[in-house]
Amino acid sequence: MADAAQINKKAIFALFLIHFIGDFFQSFIRPMLPVLADKFSLSLTQVGMITGIATFMAFLIQPIFGYLADRYRTRLILLIGSLVGAICIPLAGIAPYFGIVLLLIGMGSISSAIYHPTAAGMVSAHAGRRTGLSMSIFGLGGTLAFALGPVVFAGYITLWGLHRLPYLTPVGLSVFVLLFVLIPASDGKSLTQRDFMGSLRESIGEVWKPVVTIWAIAFSRAFVEQTLLTFMLVLTASEGHSLVSVGSILSLFTVGGSVSAIASGHLVDRIGYKPVYLFSFALSSPCMLLFIHGSGWKMYPMAFLCGFLLLATLFPALALAQKIAPKGRSLVSSIVMGLALGTAGIMMPFAGMMADVFGIRTVLSYLAFIPLAALFLIRNLPEPGKSKGL
């Protein structure tokens, strides 16, 4: 990097692109749920199993790959990560049995565990003084993919059927040559400890309390978001919404997150992290209740607002964690994002069982108050020095 204070635009664009193409295929999983539920006559508990295994494999094992990314060159890791997802997830469309669906979704989701901490750990190294904005640009790749992917999936399946889903795999493969040229290599020398526990102590040993606080807040946000998306999509489909309508709701949710990703990234560089957290969490609960109990056209703007608020702190959390623990950027990113989302994923089958017993709307209505409870944690959120100016 010629100037450490300036953003390396080529590197940030490459990381944006790897995030986009990887998450594009990951975004097929949720809109596929109503189709798979109908094809295999699944219970809500089994639907929760799909989401749970996807989230577990995509995020809970991220610290392993975060550790490897901090130690070794990362270009090949990134490419392999996206390749696995582009192959396995579309193959779930032709799986003959529910068990094979779980296997393919699980294998495809491992790719997310590979490229997320690897790419996220590289962002701050090329961000200059604008860590918050750069992390949000990187995050925008994922949120745009999750906004576009469900619409593409719904339209494609409606026109050509679930069994032709593997035909989309070449779209992912065609991007790899460009990514190989653009993705910068890492020297992999940020950690001096060679074993995993030693690296963990070196990277977060002195700052474990604020890292745990960030993780706890991220977990509460992730659990609410995953439960809301998983079961609201099944509910709307069961109440007569078309697959295109279900995909549109998911896309609007993610578009809202795309908008807030850039806005919050700019704001945390300007006014700090805590005000952004307080704003998004305080308003999330009432917005969720309106969405859960809404009907007709009102569900669409409420889906957008829920996404805007619930996803506003997703990538600022990574930027904050990397500022606190700069020695192990990929490792701490995998803990704050991967471990938080993975732990939330483990809870999905349990949430499905509760929904089977008490009903989807009842369970979601109670969960809507979790963001308000998380305000007590936000009071202890660390606040690094604020960046002045652009």
Side-chain angles (χ1 to χ4, degrees), residues 25 46 48 53 66 70 93 143 190 212 229-230 261 287-288 294 315 330 338 354-355 387 390:
F25 288 96
Q46 289 174 308
I53 195 170
D70 281 330
T143 50
S190 57
V212 169
L229 285 184
T230 297
C287 185
M288 283 179 58
F315 295 103
S330 296
M354 293 297 99
S387 176
L390 290 171

PDB file of all heavy atoms in Angstrom, residues 25 46 48 53 66 70 93 143 190 212 229-230 261 287-288 294 315 330 338 354-355 387 390:
ATOM      1  N   PHE A  25     -25.011 -17.092  -3.737  1.00  0.00           N
ATOM      2  CA  PHE A  25     -25.479 -18.480  -3.663  1.00  0.00           C
ATOM      3  C   PHE A  25     -25.968 -18.828  -2.261  1.00  0.00           C
ATOM      4  O   PHE A  25     -26.916 -19.614  -2.111  1.00  0.00           O
ATOM      5  CB  PHE A  25     -24.374 -19.434  -4.113  1.00  0.00           C
ATOM      6  CG  PHE A  25     -24.128 -19.399  -5.596  1.00  0.00           C
ATOM      7  CD1 PHE A  25     -23.117 -18.612  -6.135  1.00  0.00           C
ATOM      8  CD2 PHE A  25     -24.935 -20.119  -6.462  1.00  0.00           C
ATOM      9  CE1 PHE A  25     -22.906 -18.557  -7.508  1.00  0.00           C
ATOM     10  CE2 PHE A  25     -24.734 -20.072  -7.836  1.00  0.00           C
ATOM     11  CZ  PHE A  25     -23.717 -19.285  -8.366  1.00  0.00           C
ATOM     12  N   GLN A  46     -38.160 -29.319  11.266  1.00  0.00           N
ATOM     13  CA  GLN A  46     -37.232 -29.696  10.200  1.00  0.00           C
ATOM     14  C   GLN A  46     -36.776 -28.480   9.397  1.00  0.00           C
ATOM     15  O   GLN A  46     -35.624 -28.416   8.965  1.00  0.00           O
ATOM     16  CB  GLN A  46     -37.904 -30.724   9.284  1.00  0.00           C
ATOM     17  CG  GLN A  46     -38.082 -32.089   9.919  1.00  0.00           C
ATOM     18  CD  GLN A  46     -38.870 -33.043   9.036  1.00  0.00           C
ATOM     19  OE1 GLN A  46     -39.971 -32.716   8.575  1.00  0.00           O
ATOM     20  NE2 GLN A  46     -38.314 -34.217   8.790  1.00  0.00           N
ATOM     21  N   GLY A  48     -36.410 -25.569  10.698  1.00  0.00           N
ATOM     22  CA  GLY A  48     -35.398 -24.991  11.585  1.00  0.00           C
ATOM     23  C   GLY A  48     -34.082 -25.739  11.521  1.00  0.00           C
ATOM     24  O   GLY A  48     -33.014 -25.143  11.677  1.00  0.00           O
ATOM     25  N   ILE A  53     -28.429 -25.924  10.514  1.00  0.00           N
ATOM     26  CA  ILE A  53     -27.189 -26.516  10.000  1.00  0.00           C
ATOM     27  C   ILE A  53     -26.476 -25.562   9.057  1.00  0.00           C
ATOM     28  O   ILE A  53     -25.243 -25.499   9.033  1.00  0.00           O
ATOM     29  CB  ILE A  53     -27.461 -27.874   9.300  1.00  0.00           C
ATOM     30  CG1 ILE A  53     -26.134 -28.632   9.115  1.00  0.00           C
ATOM     31  CG2 ILE A  53     -28.164 -27.697   7.959  1.00  0.00           C
ATOM     32  CD1 ILE A  53     -26.326 -30.068   8.663  1.00  0.00           C
ATOM     33  N   GLY A  66     -10.629 -18.235  10.509  1.00  0.00           N
ATOM     34  CA  GLY A  66     -10.066 -16.934  10.858  1.00  0.00           C
ATOM     35  C   GLY A  66      -8.634 -17.059  11.330  1.00  0.00           C
ATOM     36  O   GLY A  66      -7.765 -16.253  10.967  1.00  0.00           O
ATOM     37  N   ASP A  70      -5.221 -15.595   9.325  1.00  0.00           N
ATOM     38  CA  ASP A  70      -4.229 -14.710   9.932  1.00  0.00           C
ATOM     39  C   ASP A  70      -2.805 -15.276   9.820  1.00  0.00           C
ATOM     40  O   ASP A  70      -1.844 -14.548   9.958  1.00  0.00           O
ATOM     41  CB  ASP A  70      -4.554 -14.474  11.411  1.00  0.00           C
ATOM     42  CG  ASP A  70      -5.663 -13.441  11.604  1.00  0.00           C
ATOM     43  OD1 ASP A  70      -5.774 -12.535  10.760  1.00  0.00           O
ATOM     44  OD2 ASP A  70      -6.411 -13.560  12.584  1.00  0.00           O
ATOM     45  N   GLY A  93     -31.167 -28.406  -5.080  1.00  0.00           N
ATOM     46  CA  GLY A  93     -32.399 -28.353  -5.855  1.00  0.00           C
ATOM     47  C   GLY A  93     -32.785 -29.679  -6.478  1.00  0.00           C
ATOM     48  O   GLY A  93     -33.957 -29.882  -6.838  1.00  0.00           O
ATOM     49  N   THR A 143     -24.910  -7.849   1.426  1.00  0.00           N
ATOM     50  CA  THR A 143     -26.316  -7.451   1.526  1.00  0.00           C
ATOM     51  C   THR A 143     -26.948  -7.280   0.149  1.00  0.00           C
ATOM     52  O   THR A 143     -28.127  -7.616  -0.045  1.00  0.00           O
ATOM     53  CB  THR A 143     -26.460  -6.159   2.349  1.00  0.00           C
ATOM     54  OG1 THR A 143     -25.559  -5.156   1.861  1.00  0.00           O
ATOM     55  CG2 THR A 143     -26.152  -6.406   3.811  1.00  0.00           C
ATOM     56  N   SER A 190       0.459 -11.605  10.880  1.00  0.00           N
ATOM     57  CA  SER A 190      -0.031 -10.734  11.936  1.00  0.00           C
ATOM     58  C   SER A 190       0.086 -11.379  13.313  1.00  0.00           C
ATOM     59  O   SER A 190       0.185 -10.705  14.315  1.00  0.00           O
ATOM     60  CB  SER A 190      -1.488 -10.353  11.665  1.00  0.00           C
ATOM     61  OG  SER A 190      -2.295 -11.505  11.555  1.00  0.00           O
ATOM     62  N   VAL A 212     -16.180  -9.825  24.246  1.00  0.00           N
ATOM     63  CA  VAL A 212     -17.341 -10.600  24.684  1.00  0.00           C
ATOM     64  C   VAL A 212     -18.602  -9.746  24.633  1.00  0.00           C
ATOM     65  O   VAL A 212     -19.680 -10.227  24.254  1.00  0.00           O
ATOM     66  CB  VAL A 212     -17.113 -11.173  26.100  1.00  0.00           C
ATOM     67  CG1 VAL A 212     -18.407 -11.742  26.666  1.00  0.00           C
ATOM     68  CG2 VAL A 212     -16.043 -12.256  26.068  1.00  0.00           C
ATOM     69  N   LEU A 229     -36.574 -14.062   9.850  1.00  0.00           N
ATOM     70  CA  LEU A 229     -36.561 -14.372   8.428  1.00  0.00           C
ATOM     71  C   LEU A 229     -36.997 -15.806   8.145  1.00  0.00           C
ATOM     72  O   LEU A 229     -37.786 -16.061   7.236  1.00  0.00           O
ATOM     73  CB  LEU A 229     -35.153 -14.143   7.857  1.00  0.00           C
ATOM     74  CG  LEU A 229     -34.733 -12.691   7.658  1.00  0.00           C
ATOM     75  CD1 LEU A 229     -33.364 -12.632   7.010  1.00  0.00           C
ATOM     76  CD2 LEU A 229     -35.736 -11.938   6.813  1.00  0.00           C
ATOM     77  N   THR A 230     -36.493 -16.743   8.939  1.00  0.00           N
ATOM     78  CA  THR A 230     -36.805 -18.154   8.683  1.00  0.00           C
ATOM     79  C   THR A 230     -38.309 -18.415   8.742  1.00  0.00           C
ATOM     80  O   THR A 230     -38.893 -18.992   7.812  1.00  0.00           O
ATOM     81  CB  THR A 230     -36.091 -19.055   9.709  1.00  0.00           C
ATOM     82  OG1 THR A 230     -34.682 -18.902   9.555  1.00  0.00           O
ATOM     83  CG2 THR A 230     -36.467 -20.520   9.492  1.00  0.00           C
ATOM     84  N   ALA A 261     -26.112  -0.363   5.804  1.00  0.00           N
ATOM     85  CA  ALA A 261     -24.692  -0.730   5.863  1.00  0.00           C
ATOM     86  C   ALA A 261     -23.805   0.465   5.538  1.00  0.00           C
ATOM     87  O   ALA A 261     -22.830   0.743   6.242  1.00  0.00           O
ATOM     88  CB  ALA A 261     -24.414  -1.882   4.907  1.00  0.00           C
ATOM     89  N   CYS A 287     -40.670  -1.914  15.278  1.00  0.00           N
ATOM     90  CA  CYS A 287     -40.745  -2.163  13.837  1.00  0.00           C
ATOM     91  C   CYS A 287     -41.031  -3.641  13.564  1.00  0.00           C
ATOM     92  O   CYS A 287     -41.848  -3.979  12.691  1.00  0.00           O
ATOM     93  CB  CYS A 287     -39.437  -1.743  13.175  1.00  0.00           C
ATOM     94  SG  CYS A 287     -39.463  -1.857  11.376  1.00  0.00           S
ATOM     95  N   MET A 288     -40.395  -4.530  14.317  1.00  0.00           N
ATOM     96  CA  MET A 288     -40.631  -5.957  14.142  1.00  0.00           C
ATOM     97  C   MET A 288     -42.077  -6.323  14.461  1.00  0.00           C
ATOM     98  O   MET A 288     -42.700  -7.128  13.756  1.00  0.00           O
ATOM     99  CB  MET A 288     -39.683  -6.761  15.038  1.00  0.00           C
ATOM    100  CG  MET A 288     -38.269  -6.858  14.521  1.00  0.00           C
ATOM    101  SD  MET A 288     -37.229  -7.800  15.679  1.00  0.00           S
ATOM    102  CE  MET A 288     -38.111  -9.359  15.735  1.00  0.00           C
ATOM    103  N   GLY A 294     -48.448  -7.468  10.537  1.00  0.00           N
ATOM    104  CA  GLY A 294     -48.934  -6.770   9.350  1.00  0.00           C
ATOM    105  C   GLY A 294     -49.543  -7.725   8.343  1.00  0.00           C
ATOM    106  O   GLY A 294     -49.445  -8.940   8.453  1.00  0.00           O
ATOM    107  N   PHE A 315     -21.912  -5.022  10.232  1.00  0.00           N
ATOM    108  CA  PHE A 315     -20.518  -4.812   9.811  1.00  0.00           C
ATOM    109  C   PHE A 315     -19.779  -3.771  10.648  1.00  0.00           C
ATOM    110  O   PHE A 315     -18.566  -3.909  10.837  1.00  0.00           O
ATOM    111  CB  PHE A 315     -20.481  -4.491   8.320  1.00  0.00           C
ATOM    112  CG  PHE A 315     -20.938  -5.652   7.499  1.00  0.00           C
ATOM    113  CD1 PHE A 315     -22.209  -5.682   6.947  1.00  0.00           C
ATOM    114  CD2 PHE A 315     -20.128  -6.756   7.317  1.00  0.00           C
ATOM    115  CE1 PHE A 315     -22.652  -6.770   6.223  1.00  0.00           C
ATOM    116  CE2 PHE A 315     -20.558  -7.857   6.597  1.00  0.00           C
ATOM    117  CZ  PHE A 315     -21.827  -7.863   6.048  1.00  0.00           C
ATOM    118  N   SER A 330      -8.715 -11.313  11.322  1.00  0.00           N
ATOM    119  CA  SER A 330      -9.595 -12.372  10.824  1.00  0.00           C
ATOM    120  C   SER A 330     -10.158 -13.198  11.976  1.00  0.00           C
ATOM    121  O   SER A 330     -11.337 -13.577  11.969  1.00  0.00           O
ATOM    122  CB  SER A 330      -8.844 -13.279   9.848  1.00  0.00           C
ATOM    123  OG  SER A 330      -8.441 -12.570   8.704  1.00  0.00           O
ATOM    124  N   GLY A 338     -18.904 -14.772  13.037  1.00  0.00           N
ATOM    125  CA  GLY A 338     -19.120 -16.193  12.818  1.00  0.00           C
ATOM    126  C   GLY A 338     -19.651 -16.913  14.041  1.00  0.00           C
ATOM    127  O   GLY A 338     -20.652 -17.630  13.972  1.00  0.00           O
ATOM    128  N   MET A 354     -40.709 -24.411  19.267  1.00  0.00           N
ATOM    129  CA  MET A 354     -41.611 -23.478  19.945  1.00  0.00           C
ATOM    130  C   MET A 354     -42.699 -22.985  18.991  1.00  0.00           C
ATOM    131  O   MET A 354     -43.861 -22.827  19.385  1.00  0.00           O
ATOM    132  CB  MET A 354     -40.814 -22.275  20.483  1.00  0.00           C
ATOM    133  CG  MET A 354     -39.842 -22.607  21.605  1.00  0.00           C
ATOM    134  SD  MET A 354     -40.648 -23.249  23.113  1.00  0.00           S
ATOM    135  CE  MET A 354     -40.396 -25.019  22.902  1.00  0.00           C
ATOM    136  N   ALA A 355     -42.330 -22.756  17.738  1.00  0.00           N
ATOM    137  CA  ALA A 355     -43.310 -22.307  16.755  1.00  0.00           C
ATOM    138  C   ALA A 355     -44.323 -23.404  16.444  1.00  0.00           C
ATOM    139  O   ALA A 355     -45.506 -23.126  16.207  1.00  0.00           O
ATOM    140  CB  ALA A 355     -42.601 -21.861  15.477  1.00  0.00           C
ATOM    141  N   SER A 387     -12.813   9.143  14.337  1.00  0.00           N
ATOM    142  CA  SER A 387     -12.080   9.738  13.227  1.00  0.00           C
ATOM    143  C   SER A 387     -12.617  11.109  12.907  1.00  0.00           C
ATOM    144  O   SER A 387     -13.824  11.319  12.858  1.00  0.00           O
ATOM    145  CB  SER A 387     -12.188   8.841  11.976  1.00  0.00           C
ATOM    146  OG  SER A 387     -11.563   9.455  10.891  1.00  0.00           O
ATOM    147  N   LEU A 390     -13.271  13.519   6.745  1.00  0.00           N
ATOM    148  CA  LEU A 390     -13.446  12.475   5.736  1.00  0.00           C
ATOM    149  C   LEU A 390     -12.074  11.902   5.375  1.00  0.00           C
ATOM    150  O   LEU A 390     -11.102  12.577   5.337  1.00  0.00           O
ATOM    151  CB  LEU A 390     -14.133  13.016   4.507  1.00  0.00           C
ATOM    152  CG  LEU A 390     -15.620  13.380   4.725  1.00  0.00           C
ATOM    153  CD1 LEU A 390     -16.149  14.117   3.499  1.00  0.00           C
ATOM    154  CD2 LEU A 390     -16.463  12.167   4.985  1.00  0.00           C
TER     155      LEU A 390
END
